[in-house]
Amino acid sequence: VLKDGSFKNLSGWAQEIATKRARLGNPLYQSIRHFKTFRSIFLNKVEAFVGLHQSSITQQDIILWNRTLNEAFDRMIELFTMYYGQVSEAQVYAQKMLISELSTPVISISDTVGVLPIIGQIDDYKSNDFAEKIMVQAKDLELSCLIIDLSGVPSIDTMMTNELFQVVNMLELLGIDTTITGIRPEIALTAVQLGIDFSKIRTYGKLKDAVSDLLHIR
């Protein structure tokens, strides 16, 4: 950049490094911190060079070098964060597609009882015909009871709760009882704060307890 004032080589480098960092899961703030460090190193080098060649360097040269380096670093950070964001979004999308492509999210553990483990946020399943898949599989497996395990759900909000209750209500219309297990303390607290009523749904703290009771009953 200092040689010819061109920024044309920045994009390729930024894309390559941002892609590597995003795929490795390196936090974005760490990379931004590195940019800050290297900016200081470059400017210190310019300062040292000016100190050695004061007689041949004008104030305009110093201003130009300072402006050029800062603009280069600013462009690099902009490009880097843009490419990092693109790769991160692509990874999130791929994960959601993987959830969508799961062929058998309902696990049959007996002739009449099945388990549906929820991993991640319930909202991740919203756009993937999740409820419809559950209905079809529960019916095909001729289940009379479906255990929905929330052990893998870190948190819940009103929208996610509505999604969950929609599945529960649809199962009820099919004559399938629903049991919910693995409700974390955070989820229970949120449910109380939101005024969510779980009293009409059978719940267990642990999946194994529900499986033991339901298999014994059925």
Side-chain angles (χ1 to χ4, degrees):
V1 169
L2 286 174
K3 283 183 177 180
D4 58 16
S6 173
F7 299 96
K8 63 182 180 180
N9 294 325
L10 298 183
S11 181
W13 184 91
Q15 184 174 20
E16 177 185 353
I17 302 302
T19 300
K20 289 180 180 179
R21 297 291 185 271
R23 287 177 177 173
L24 289 172
N26 297 140
L28 184 58
Y29 74 87
Q30 288 185 356
S31 296
I32 300 301
R33 183 184 297 165
H34 293 158
F35 278 115
K36 180 181 178 181
T37 300
F38 281 108
R39 186 198 299 259
S40 296
I41 292 173
F42 271 76
L43 292 176
N44 287 339
K45 289 293 185 181
V46 170
E47 184 179 358
F49 182 82
V50 171
L52 292 173
H53 306 277
Q54 292 184 20
S55 59
S56 59
I57 297 175
T58 66
Q59 185 176 7
Q60 285 72 22
D61 291 330
I62 298 173
I63 293 174
L64 176 61
W65 294 339
N66 184 73
R67 180 184 299 153
T68 302
L69 281 175
N70 279 307
E71 185 178 354
F73 271 97
D74 290 342
R75 289 197 185 188
M76 285 293 281
I77 294 172
E78 182 180 353
L79 290 168
F80 183 91
T81 53
M82 179 185 71
Y83 289 126
Y84 187 99
Q86 290 175 353
V87 175
S88 296
E89 288 177 5
Q91 289 178 318
V92 171
Y93 180 77
Q95 291 170 352
K96 289 187 176 183
M97 289 301 100
L98 180 60
I99 292 173
S100 177
E101 291 169 4
L102 288 174
S103 58
T104 54
V106 175
I107 303 169
S108 177
I109 58 174
S110 78
D111 291 340
T112 58
V113 180
V115 177
L116 171 64
I118 304 292
I119 307 298
Q121 299 291 356
I122 295 175
D123 192 46
D124 291 341
Y125 301 81
K126 182 177 180 181
S127 62
N128 299 319
D129 300 323
F130 175 68
E132 182 179 348
K133 287 182 179 181
I134 300 309
M135 300 305 108
V136 171
Q137 290 180 37
K139 197 66 177 176
D140 289 345
L141 292 171
E142 299 181 349
L143 300 180
S144 60
C145 179
L146 180 64
I147 303 171
I148 300 178
D149 182 51
L150 302 180
S151 300
V153 178
S155 61
I156 194 168
D157 60 19
T158 305
M159 183 171 64
M160 297 176 192
T161 304
N162 288 337
E163 289 296 315
L164 179 61
F165 272 88
Q166 181 181 359
V167 172
V168 172
N169 291 334
M170 293 174 69
L171 287 169
E172 185 179 1
L173 291 175
L174 294 176
I176 301 173
D177 295 332
T178 303
T179 297
I180 297 179
T181 65
I183 299 179
R184 294 168 175 262
E186 313 90 89
I187 295 178
L189 179 60
T190 303
V192 171
Q193 293 173 340
L194 294 173
I196 298 169
D197 183 14
F198 281 101
S199 62
K200 297 181 181 179
I201 303 175
R202 183 172 5 192
T203 61
Y204 288 82
K206 296 181 180 180
L207 174 61
K208 66 177 183 179
D209 294 336
V211 171
S212 177
D213 283 358
L214 291 171
L215 290 183
H216 176 73
I217 295 172
R218 298 169 189 268

